[in-house]
Amino acid sequence: MTGRSTEHRDITAEVIGTVAGMVQRDPAELSPETRFFDDLYFDSTNVLELLMQLETELGVEFDPETLEPSDFEKVGSLVDYVRRALEGA
């Protein structure tokens, strides 16, 4: 981890910012309810790219064994996964 405590971080804003950068949209247009595949038209390649960017930006390494398809249903479900990963780091 980068040394910043998860309690002092707005993980939702950080994930939304990363996603918004990938899809070239204003972060204000995205919410925890935004769906990756239906709203943002993500595919598996986009998901991998997003995970790599989040690992770099958040200073955490995700365990592929713990990822479930439901973690990519909505931005909010990915935020929950990221929070769990950061707490376990």
Side-chain angles (χ1 to χ4, degrees), residues 1 5 7 10 14 16 23 25-26 34 37 50 63 67 73 76 81 83 85:
M1 205 162 95
S5 165
E7 17 183 282
D10 186 346
E14 291 184 61
I16 285 176
V23 296
R25 290 176 58 179
D26 185 330
T34 302
F37 298 99
L50 174 60
D63 180 358
L67 285 164
E73 186 178 323
Y81 174 81
R83 223 178 241 119

Side-chain angles (χ1 to χ4, degrees), residues 11-24:
I11 304 302
T12 301
E14 291 184 61
V15 171
I16 285 176
T18 301
V19 172
M22 280 186 65
V23 296
Q24 299 179 343

Side-chain angles (χ1 to χ4, degrees), residues 2-3 6-7 9-10 12 15 20 32 35-37 40-41 44 49 52 71 80-81 84 87:
T2 60
T6 56
E7 17 183 282
R9 297 175 79 170
D10 186 346
T12 301
V15 171
R35 299 169 299 178
F36 284 106
F37 298 99
L40 301 175
Y41 308 107
S44 58
E49 182 182 341
M52 290 188 305
D71 294 324
D80 292 340
Y81 174 81
R84 289 191 307 271
E87 289 169 358

Side-chain angles (χ1 to χ4, degrees), residues 18-60:
T18 301
V19 172
M22 280 186 65
V23 296
Q24 299 179 343
R25 290 176 58 179
D26 185 330
E29 296 176 25
L30 306 179
S31 77
E33 295 303 310
T34 302
R35 299 169 299 178
F36 284 106
F37 298 99
D38 295 334
D39 299 330
L40 301 175
Y41 308 107
F42 265 49
D43 60 22
S44 58
T45 303
N46 298 123
V47 168
L48 290 174
E49 182 182 341
L50 174 60
L51 287 174
M52 290 188 305
Q53 281 191 325
L54 287 171
E55 284 182 334
T56 299
E57 292 176 17
L58 301 176
V60 66

Side-chain angles (χ1 to χ4, degrees), residues 64-88:
E65 299 292 320
T66 63
L67 285 164
E68 299 292 333
S70 61
D71 294 324
F72 300 99
E73 186 178 323
K74 296 178 182 178
V75 170
S77 55
L78 182 59
V79 167
D80 292 340
Y81 174 81
V82 169
R83 223 178 241 119
R84 289 191 307 271
L86 286 169
E87 289 169 358

